[in-house]
Amino acid sequence: MSRLDLMGCKKRRRGERVFRFRTFGENGYPIEFDGSFLENVKALLELGQPESSSCIGVPCWSFELEINRQPPLHVLLYVIEEPIETSLSRHCRHCLYVGWGQHLICNKKYHFLLLSKDITPASLIFNGDSIDANPMKAKLNLMEAHGHTMHGVFHSNGFGHLLCINGLESGSDLPGFQIMDFWDRLCTGLKARKVSLNDVSYKRGMELRLLHGLAYGEPWFGRWGYLFGRGSFGVTLPMYKKAIEAIRGMPLTLLIHNLGNSSHEVLLIFSRYQSLSDHTLVGLGDLLHFMLELTTHVPKANFVDSYYSPSFLLETACRWSPKRVEMATRVIVEALKRAEFRWISRQEVRDAARAYIGDTGLLDFVLKSLGNHVVGKYLVRRSLNPVTKVLEYCLEDVSKASVESEGSVTSSSNLRTRSKITRAQLMKDMFCVYKHIFKEQELGTNTRFGDNVSLAARIILDSRHLIKEYNGDLPYKLELGLGGKFKVFCTVLLRDAVRCEWKTKLMPPYECIVLKENATVNELKVEVERTFRELYWGLKSFVAESVVNLNTSGSEMVFGLVEVGRRLVFEGSVREQGATARDAYECGADGGRVVDCACGTKEDDGQRMIACAVCEVWQHTWCVQIPNSEEAPGIFLCKRCEQVIMVQPSLP
């Protein structure tokens, strides 16, 4: 096992171009995205900094992105080209889970990574032979790298998957919405076709797809156009919509009536936020929507953890990260609080803080900068003792003054009441409601009402695979007069050379072929062969033989015979048959697992499954009463085979 080591790549060369993070991917920046997806990727990589292939084993480029100029904050975007020969598996399980199993396997994948500051680039692991010994046999394993700030992967035909994003709660310098904005710009600029993601996001221990779905009627990723793509356990889009509507519109009075012992605590929460709202909160969706909206309006000064935000320290250049400065500020303020608002010497404060912060240089910097500044609700006072000639510090609580000032500014009693709600209290109340209704099943599993709520919540949680269609099958604008050139959209259909299943496979998406006005049909065939051979692993030896929907000879000119933007289907064959031809699709040569579960699932949806030892048909372990906490048995018989065996006459 060898590791991808990009540590040396972090040292940027002088004069290297720095790109703006907030506009990277917009049309015209850093390039004009006016070609196909693959052409746009190649054009973008020409501006990247090539990284040493001796330590990576596969082509890699990096881009330095500027998030803030003052204080300076940069992040590195790595783009790694993964040839199919270096993959651990040719087949993409993410394609299989979202229903793209009939897609042809592409020759290359492109990984776009924003590395987490807590994860070094060396954590990207290769499995296989030593890179130095045999680079082409090194197996790149990036699919399980979920600890990065962002990790997305594209197939060379423009279909892609967002594998993970990690925002502020995971220690990133970027909030989740900024990461998603960046990803969405990339997909739009590069002209991706469709992109999927597996929504497993959480907010303070609550499943965000359930919380946000009930509050807004769509998942959090719906803000960027990612909507229901495919459900697990047989969940369909109509089922998902009905489940959302059922719980969103559930009357709060009915919920309280069915909560039993927890009704008093939840009733207090309902009453508290009803008094804060300007309109009546009727259903559970109204309450959750109001609470989530309130989190964006509650002043940060009311959030205890934000008292230690050292923004004034960052106005001057320093060599420590904002997180380290914030931690040192927190430790020093806590040490002064333990002094019970009396004056203590600088050395005492420093010694108390050193128990938690070992960097004395950092402590000295923060102590020097904190003097006579407000940190949250405290004023950190610094003064020279006239007798001992020693610097001393103490805290002064200024929260009462700020509350009185806030009350004098606004005349709305509702706003004054809201100012008393801290974000910590708001999140605590939200989790309390979430826990009592969805987690602890206090609505009762033996009641019809409780069973309906649990079923609807389960349907929402099982709707994890989201898809956004960026450009679909024709991601190009139809343009005339391109300097003596015109566009034709082409795809291929494989002739029934080996297996009859070829005819039942879906054709790959149409690709835009740009031709000269005097190009012949034979020249178009050559260009179609080149394009599809470059894209797809199973078509490396594809030969176009005829045009299915056009009766013509090869010597005729295309222009005039075919109108601009016409869709053409080329039928042909793969000269090198065998493993390549039989296994050219993401689902594999045999179409993947044979799935027939009691929940209605007919294809692999990414959930844990088990196969019958007799008929080899797969079913969800959950659907055959095998809890997720238990290991699957070594031998399993489905009910159908078990019944057949039971009625068979016993051997003499």
Side-chain angles (χ1 to χ4, degrees):
M1 179 178 292
S2 52
R3 294 182 179 272
L4 173 59
D5 183 12
L6 299 178
M7 295 304 292
C9 305
K10 282 194 171 183
K11 296 180 179 179
R12 318 305 295 173
R13 284 188 273 273
R14 180 173 301 185
E16 183 181 336
R17 185 174 177 182
V18 178
F19 302 91
R20 298 187 302 272
F21 176 82
R22 286 179 172 81
T23 55
F24 192 87
E26 292 181 355
N27 196 28
Y29 187 78
I31 63 168
E32 294 290 340
F33 296 99
D34 55 2
S36 66
F37 170 79
L38 190 56
E39 290 169 345
N40 289 333
V41 170
K42 291 179 179 179
L44 178 65
L45 294 181
E46 289 180 1
L47 299 181
Q49 176 65 42
E51 302 296 352
S52 174
S53 61
S54 61
C55 64
I56 303 172
V58 292
C60 177
W61 298 261
S62 63
F63 298 82
E64 186 173 3
L65 308 178
E66 180 185 73
I67 300 173
N68 291 327
R69 181 165 296 180
Q70 290 297 331
L73 181 60
H74 291 199
V75 66
L76 289 180
L77 169 68
Y78 286 98
V79 182
I80 301 176
E81 181 183 275
E82 179 187 359
I84 190 65
E85 293 82 7
T86 65
S87 299
L88 283 173
S89 172
R90 289 191 297 268
H91 306 286
C92 175
R93 57 186 177 87
H94 302 287
C95 283
L96 198 61
Y97 297 160
V98 296
W100 298 345
Q102 299 299 320
H103 287 194
L104 284 165
I105 297 174
C106 291
N107 283 320
K108 293 178 180 179
K109 300 175 188 175
Y110 294 90
H111 297 265
F112 286 73
L113 297 105
L114 294 175
L115 297 189
S116 170
K117 60 185 177 182
D118 296 326
I119 296 183
T120 65
S123 64
L124 303 180
I125 300 175
F126 288 91
N127 290 316
D129 297 340
S130 168
I131 293 178
D132 295 333
N134 196 340
M136 294 307 296
K137 290 187 177 181
K139 302 299 183 180
L140 178 60
N141 180 16
L142 287 168
M143 290 303 184
E144 303 301 332
H146 292 291
H148 306 304
T149 297
M150 186 201 80
H151 182 190
V153 61
F154 293 105
H155 300 280
S156 54
N157 62 356
F159 287 83
H161 315 280
L162 178 58
L163 302 184
C164 75
I165 64 168
N166 289 291
L168 295 176
E169 291 189 14
S170 300
S172 171
D173 289 323
L174 292 167
F177 74 90
Q178 288 189 11
I179 303 172
M180 277 303 301
D181 286 343
F182 175 76
W183 171 253
D184 195 53
R185 288 196 306 272
L186 270 180
C187 296
T188 303
L190 292 173
K191 289 187 172 59
R193 283 193 164 97
K194 294 181 182 180
V195 177
S196 76
L197 61 85
N198 185 15
D199 185 2
V200 291
S201 52
Y202 279 78
K203 183 180 183 69
R204 304 294 175 88
M206 299 173 281
E207 285 96 340
L208 192 55
R209 62 188 181 281
L210 178 58
L211 188 65
H212 204 278
L214 297 181
Y216 297 96
E218 64 180 15
W220 181 74
F221 294 98
R223 296 163 59 182
W224 295 272
Y226 287 85
L227 300 175
F228 180 95
R230 194 185 197 193
S232 302
F233 299 102
V235 173
T236 61
L237 179 58
M239 293 169 61
Y240 172 73
K241 289 183 175 180
K242 288 182 179 179
I244 289 283
E245 294 171 1
I247 304 185
R248 285 194 77 197
M250 198 168 292
L252 297 177
T253 54
L254 184 61
L255 281 171
I256 295 171
H257 176 73
N258 286 273
L259 276 175
N261 296 332
S262 302
S263 60
H264 180 68
E265 183 180 4
V266 177
L267 177 60
L268 289 177
I269 295 175
F270 290 172
S271 302
R272 178 182 302 139
Y273 291 94
Q274 180 61 80
S275 66
L276 298 178
S277 176
D278 296 327
H279 60 276
T280 303
L281 304 178
V282 179
L284 180 60
D286 297 330
L287 175 66
L288 294 177
H289 182 273
F290 178 72
M291 296 177 83
L292 283 176
E293 286 293 309
L294 197 57
T295 58
T296 62
H297 295 93
V298 173
K300 288 189 175 182
N302 286 353
F303 186 28
V304 176
D305 286 344
S306 70
Y307 288 162
Y308 305 100
S309 178
S311 58
F312 64 91
L313 299 180
L314 300 177
E315 294 175 0
T316 58
C318 69
R319 58 188 177 91
W320 294 278
S321 68
K323 291 284 186 180
R324 295 192 64 194
V325 173
E326 180 180 349
M327 177 58 69
T329 304
R330 180 189 296 267
V331 169
I332 289 173
V333 172
E334 291 295 330
L336 290 171
K337 285 169 63 176
R338 289 194 294 272
E340 299 178 350
F341 302 100
R342 62 182 177 86
W343 288 92
I344 60 175
S345 69
R346 177 184 180 279
Q347 189 62 42
E348 289 181 86
V349 181
R350 191 173 185 268
D351 291 342
R354 281 198 64 187
Y356 304 94
I357 305 293
D359 190 339
T360 55
L362 173 60
L363 292 176
D364 292 338
F365 169 77
V366 175
L367 281 170
K368 179 181 178 181
S369 306
L370 271 180
N372 300 319
H373 278 89
V374 176
V375 182
K377 66 177 184 178
Y378 299 108
L379 172 63
V380 182
R381 291 199 176 276
R382 182 179 65 179
S383 177
L384 184 67
N385 189 307
V387 178
T388 62
K389 306 298 182 181
V390 173
L391 279 175
E392 294 183 343
Y393 291 80
C394 80
L395 287 183
E396 180 180 335
D397 191 343
V398 295
S399 59
K400 293 182 179 179
S402 63
V403 171
E404 291 173 1
S405 174
E406 184 179 350
S408 64
V409 171
T410 176
S411 60
S412 171
S413 59
N414 228 13
L415 289 176
R416 287 198 300 270
T417 306
R418 290 185 189 183
S419 69
K420 298 177 183 178
I421 297 290
T422 66
R423 283 194 190 175
Q425 181 65 45
L426 182 55
M427 297 308 300
K428 180 180 178 182
D429 292 342
M430 195 182 304
F431 183 78
C432 180
V433 173
Y434 179 90
K435 176 184 68 174
H436 289 311
I437 296 177
F438 300 112
K439 281 295 184 184
E440 298 185 355
Q441 298 182 336
E442 296 184 13
L443 292 174
T445 55
N446 296 323
T447 65
R448 182 177 181 181
F449 179 79
D451 289 343
N452 289 340
V453 172
S454 298
L455 177 60
R458 190 69 259 162
I459 290 174
I460 297 171
L461 291 174
D462 287 335
S463 305
R464 303 190 308 179
H465 296 291
L466 311 180
I467 296 176
K468 177 176 179 179
E469 181 171 334
Y470 284 90
N471 291 287
D473 287 341
L474 297 175
Y476 316 102
K477 294 181 180 179
L478 188 60
E479 299 175 352
L480 300 174
L482 298 175
K485 296 182 179 181
F486 68 101
K487 295 180 179 179
V488 181
F489 297 98
C490 303
T491 187
V492 300
L493 179 65
L494 293 172
R495 192 180 301 280
D496 187 11
V498 177
R499 295 161 57 92
C500 61
E501 287 91 335
W502 284 106
K503 288 288 188 182
T504 66
K505 303 292 186 182
L506 295 178
M507 294 183 295
Y510 285 86
E511 296 294 333
C512 180
I513 307 298
V514 180
L515 296 171
K516 296 180 180 179
E517 290 185 356
N518 59 352
T520 65
V521 174
N522 284 335
E523 290 174 332
L524 175 59
K525 287 182 180 180
V526 172
E527 190 62 25
V528 168
E529 291 173 354
R530 184 197 65 80
T531 300
F532 283 87
R533 286 176 180 179
E534 182 182 16
L535 284 174
Y536 298 104
W537 178 68
L539 301 181
K540 286 186 175 181
S541 59
F542 172 75
V543 176
E545 299 169 354
S546 62
V547 185
V548 175
N549 52 349
L550 184 67
N551 187 12
T552 178
S553 64
S555 59
E556 292 185 74
M557 290 180 57
V558 179
F559 188 72
L561 182 67
V562 178
E563 60 271 21
V564 176
R566 171 83 179 270
R567 297 188 182 192
L568 297 178
V569 179
F570 284 80
E571 188 173 34
S573 60
V574 177
R575 293 295 174 87
E576 296 177 7
Q577 300 295 345
T580 301
R582 293 195 302 269
D583 202 22
Y585 292 89
E586 295 289 1
C587 61
D590 55 359
R593 295 175 173 178
V594 178
V595 179
D596 187 9
C597 190
C599 66
T601 300
K602 301 297 182 183
E603 294 181 88
D604 193 347
D605 58 5
Q607 301 297 327
R608 192 173 74 146
M609 291 186 171
I610 190 170
C612 175
V614 177
C615 65
E616 298 183 347
V617 174
W618 292 80
Q619 300 181 71
H620 295 118
T621 54
W622 180 263
C623 295
V624 294
Q625 309 302 315
I626 302 175
N628 291 332
S629 57
E630 295 183 7
E631 291 187 8
I635 298 178
F636 167 75
L637 295 179
C638 66
K639 286 186 177 181
R640 184 166 50 249
C641 293
E642 189 176 21
Q643 291 174 355
V644 170
I645 292 175
M646 291 294 292
V647 299
Q648 291 293 329
S650 57
L651 295 174

